[in-house]
Short mmCIF file of all heavy atoms in Angstrom, two decimals:
data_model
loop_
_atom_site.label_atom_id
_atom_site.label_comp_id
_atom_site.label_asym_id
_atom_site.label_seq_id
_atom_site.Cartn_x
_atom_site.Cartn_y
_atom_site.Cartn_z
N LEU F 1 58.66 19.65 -25.81
CA LEU F 1 57.23 19.52 -26.05
C LEU F 1 56.84 20.44 -27.19
O LEU F 1 57.17 21.62 -27.18
CB LEU F 1 56.45 19.89 -24.79
CG LEU F 1 54.94 19.91 -24.91
CD1 LEU F 1 54.42 18.47 -25.07
CD2 LEU F 1 54.33 20.55 -23.68
N LYS F 2 56.14 19.88 -28.17
CA LYS F 2 55.62 20.70 -29.26
C LYS F 2 54.11 20.73 -29.14
O LYS F 2 53.49 19.74 -28.79
CB LYS F 2 56.03 20.11 -30.60
CG LYS F 2 57.51 20.24 -30.88
CD LYS F 2 57.83 19.80 -32.27
CE LYS F 2 59.32 19.96 -32.50
NZ LYS F 2 59.68 19.67 -33.88
N MET F 3 53.55 21.88 -29.43
CA MET F 3 52.10 22.04 -29.31
C MET F 3 51.53 22.56 -30.61
O MET F 3 52.07 23.49 -31.21
CB MET F 3 51.78 23.02 -28.18
CG MET F 3 50.29 23.10 -27.92
SD MET F 3 49.85 24.39 -26.76
CE MET F 3 49.61 25.74 -27.88
N ASP F 4 50.45 21.95 -31.02
CA ASP F 4 49.71 22.41 -32.18
C ASP F 4 48.47 23.12 -31.65
O ASP F 4 47.56 22.48 -31.12
CB ASP F 4 49.34 21.23 -33.08
CG ASP F 4 48.69 21.67 -34.38
OD1 ASP F 4 48.02 22.73 -34.39
OD2 ASP F 4 48.85 20.96 -35.37
N GLY F 5 48.46 24.44 -31.76
CA GLY F 5 47.37 25.23 -31.22
C GLY F 5 46.01 24.85 -31.77
O GLY F 5 45.00 24.91 -31.07
N VAL F 6 45.95 24.46 -33.03
CA VAL F 6 44.68 24.07 -33.64
C VAL F 6 44.13 22.81 -32.97
O VAL F 6 42.95 22.73 -32.65
CB VAL F 6 44.84 23.87 -35.17
CG1 VAL F 6 43.58 23.30 -35.78
CG2 VAL F 6 45.24 25.17 -35.83
N VAL F 7 45.01 21.86 -32.74
CA VAL F 7 44.59 20.60 -32.10
C VAL F 7 44.11 20.88 -30.68
O VAL F 7 43.07 20.37 -30.25
CB VAL F 7 45.73 19.56 -32.12
CG1 VAL F 7 45.38 18.34 -31.29
CG2 VAL F 7 46.05 19.16 -33.55
N VAL F 8 44.85 21.69 -29.95
CA VAL F 8 44.47 22.01 -28.57
C VAL F 8 43.13 22.74 -28.55
O VAL F 8 42.27 22.47 -27.70
CB VAL F 8 45.58 22.81 -27.87
CG1 VAL F 8 45.13 23.27 -26.49
CG2 VAL F 8 46.86 21.98 -27.76
N ALA F 9 42.91 23.65 -29.48
CA ALA F 9 41.64 24.36 -29.56
C ALA F 9 40.49 23.39 -29.84
O ALA F 9 39.39 23.53 -29.28
CB ALA F 9 41.70 25.44 -30.64
N ARG F 10 40.75 22.39 -30.67
CA ARG F 10 39.71 21.37 -30.94
C ARG F 10 39.40 20.56 -29.69
O ARG F 10 38.25 20.21 -29.44
CB ARG F 10 40.15 20.45 -32.08
CG ARG F 10 40.03 21.09 -33.42
CD ARG F 10 40.30 20.10 -34.54
NE ARG F 10 40.52 20.81 -35.79
CZ ARG F 10 41.46 20.51 -36.66
NH1 ARG F 10 42.28 19.51 -36.44
NH2 ARG F 10 41.59 21.21 -37.76
N TYR F 11 40.43 20.25 -28.90
CA TYR F 11 40.20 19.56 -27.64
C TYR F 11 39.30 20.40 -26.73
O TYR F 11 38.40 19.88 -26.07
CB TYR F 11 41.50 19.24 -26.91
CG TYR F 11 42.28 18.08 -27.46
CD1 TYR F 11 43.65 18.16 -27.62
CD2 TYR F 11 41.65 16.89 -27.81
CE1 TYR F 11 44.39 17.09 -28.12
CE2 TYR F 11 42.37 15.82 -28.31
CZ TYR F 11 43.74 15.93 -28.46
OH TYR F 11 44.46 14.87 -28.96
N ALA F 12 39.53 21.69 -26.70
CA ALA F 12 38.71 22.59 -25.89
C ALA F 12 37.25 22.55 -26.36
O ALA F 12 36.33 22.47 -25.55
CB ALA F 12 39.25 24.01 -25.95
N GLU F 13 37.06 22.57 -27.67
CA GLU F 13 35.70 22.50 -28.22
C GLU F 13 35.04 21.17 -27.88
O GLU F 13 33.85 21.12 -27.55
CB GLU F 13 35.74 22.68 -29.74
CG GLU F 13 36.12 24.07 -30.18
CD GLU F 13 36.36 24.18 -31.67
OE1 GLU F 13 36.14 23.18 -32.40
OE2 GLU F 13 36.79 25.26 -32.12
N THR F 14 35.80 20.09 -27.95
CA THR F 14 35.27 18.76 -27.62
C THR F 14 34.87 18.70 -26.16
O THR F 14 33.80 18.16 -25.82
CB THR F 14 36.32 17.67 -27.93
OG1 THR F 14 36.63 17.72 -29.33
CG2 THR F 14 35.81 16.29 -27.58
N ALA F 15 35.70 19.25 -25.29
CA ALA F 15 35.38 19.26 -23.85
C ALA F 15 34.12 20.07 -23.59
O ALA F 15 33.27 19.67 -22.79
CB ALA F 15 36.56 19.81 -23.05
N GLU F 16 33.98 21.19 -24.26
CA GLU F 16 32.79 22.05 -24.09
C GLU F 16 31.54 21.32 -24.55
O GLU F 16 30.49 21.36 -23.90
CB GLU F 16 32.97 23.35 -24.87
CG GLU F 16 31.95 24.40 -24.55
CD GLU F 16 32.10 25.01 -23.17
OE1 GLU F 16 33.23 25.24 -22.73
OE2 GLU F 16 31.06 25.26 -22.53
N ALA F 17 31.63 20.62 -25.68
CA ALA F 17 30.48 19.86 -26.20
C ALA F 17 30.11 18.73 -25.24
O ALA F 17 28.92 18.48 -25.00
CB ALA F 17 30.79 19.30 -27.59
N ALA F 18 31.10 18.06 -24.69
CA ALA F 18 30.83 16.99 -23.72
C ALA F 18 30.17 17.55 -22.47
O ALA F 18 29.26 16.93 -21.90
CB ALA F 18 32.13 16.27 -23.36
N ALA F 19 30.58 18.74 -22.05
CA ALA F 19 29.95 19.39 -20.88
C ALA F 19 28.48 19.66 -21.16
O ALA F 19 27.62 19.44 -20.30
CB ALA F 19 30.69 20.68 -20.54
N ASP F 20 28.18 20.12 -22.37
CA ASP F 20 26.78 20.36 -22.75
C ASP F 20 25.97 19.07 -22.69
O ASP F 20 24.82 19.06 -22.24
CB ASP F 20 26.70 20.97 -24.15
CG ASP F 20 27.23 22.40 -24.20
OD1 ASP F 20 27.36 23.05 -23.14
OD2 ASP F 20 27.53 22.87 -25.32
N GLU F 21 26.57 17.98 -23.15
CA GLU F 21 25.88 16.69 -23.11
C GLU F 21 25.62 16.24 -21.68
O GLU F 21 24.55 15.70 -21.37
CB GLU F 21 26.69 15.63 -23.86
CG GLU F 21 26.70 15.84 -25.36
CD GLU F 21 27.52 14.79 -26.09
OE1 GLU F 21 27.72 13.68 -25.55
OE2 GLU F 21 27.97 15.09 -27.21
N LEU F 22 26.58 16.46 -20.79
CA LEU F 22 26.38 16.11 -19.39
C LEU F 22 25.28 16.96 -18.77
O LEU F 22 24.48 16.45 -17.97
CB LEU F 22 27.68 16.26 -18.59
CG LEU F 22 28.77 15.22 -18.87
CD1 LEU F 22 29.99 15.49 -18.00
CD2 LEU F 22 28.26 13.81 -18.65
N ASP F 23 25.22 18.23 -19.13
CA ASP F 23 24.14 19.10 -18.63
C ASP F 23 22.78 18.58 -19.09
O ASP F 23 21.82 18.56 -18.31
CB ASP F 23 24.33 20.54 -19.11
CG ASP F 23 25.37 21.29 -18.31
OD1 ASP F 23 25.63 20.91 -17.14
OD2 ASP F 23 25.92 22.27 -18.83
N THR F 24 22.71 18.16 -20.34
CA THR F 24 21.45 17.61 -20.87
C THR F 24 21.07 16.35 -20.11
O THR F 24 19.91 16.17 -19.72
CB THR F 24 21.59 17.31 -22.38
OG1 THR F 24 21.88 18.54 -23.06
CG2 THR F 24 20.33 16.69 -22.95
N ALA F 25 22.04 15.48 -19.89
CA ALA F 25 21.77 14.24 -19.15
C ALA F 25 21.32 14.55 -17.72
O ALA F 25 20.39 13.92 -17.20
CB ALA F 25 23.01 13.35 -19.15
N ALA F 26 21.95 15.52 -17.09
CA ALA F 26 21.59 15.89 -15.71
C ALA F 26 20.15 16.37 -15.64
O ALA F 26 19.43 16.07 -14.68
CB ALA F 26 22.55 16.96 -15.17
N ALA F 27 19.73 17.10 -16.65
CA ALA F 27 18.37 17.62 -16.68
C ALA F 27 17.34 16.50 -16.83
O ALA F 27 16.19 16.65 -16.41
CB ALA F 27 18.22 18.64 -17.80
N GLU F 28 17.76 15.39 -17.41
CA GLU F 28 16.84 14.29 -17.67
C GLU F 28 16.81 13.25 -16.55
O GLU F 28 15.92 12.40 -16.52
CB GLU F 28 17.21 13.61 -18.99
CG GLU F 28 17.04 14.53 -20.19
CD GLU F 28 17.56 13.93 -21.48
OE1 GLU F 28 18.06 12.78 -21.46
OE2 GLU F 28 17.47 14.61 -22.52
N VAL F 29 17.75 13.32 -15.63
CA VAL F 29 17.82 12.33 -14.54
C VAL F 29 16.70 12.59 -13.54
O VAL F 29 16.43 13.72 -13.18
CB VAL F 29 19.19 12.39 -13.83
CG1 VAL F 29 19.17 11.59 -12.55
CG2 VAL F 29 20.28 11.90 -14.76
N GLY F 30 16.10 11.49 -13.08
CA GLY F 30 15.09 11.61 -12.03
C GLY F 30 13.81 12.22 -12.52
O GLY F 30 13.25 13.10 -11.88
N GLY F 31 13.37 11.74 -13.68
CA GLY F 31 12.17 12.28 -14.30
C GLY F 31 11.00 12.40 -13.32
O GLY F 31 10.82 11.59 -12.42
N GLY F 32 10.22 13.42 -13.48
CA GLY F 32 9.09 13.70 -12.60
C GLY F 32 7.97 12.69 -12.71
O GLY F 32 7.02 12.76 -11.93
#
């Protein structure tokens, strides 16, 4: 197995950004 640390770090950033988007969506669900 070969690993490119830069690519893996980008995956981490992508996952973090997706988590932020899910948090935003959660805040908007079930509007008052």
Side-chain angles (χ1 to χ4, degrees):
L1 176 70
K2 290 186 180 186
M3 186 188 90
D4 186 331
V6 173
V7 172
V8 174
R10 284 187 195 137
Y11 283 137
E13 291 171 6
T14 300
E16 191 71 39
D20 291 342
E21 289 179 24
L22 288 180
D23 281 337
T24 299
E28 295 173 0
V29 169

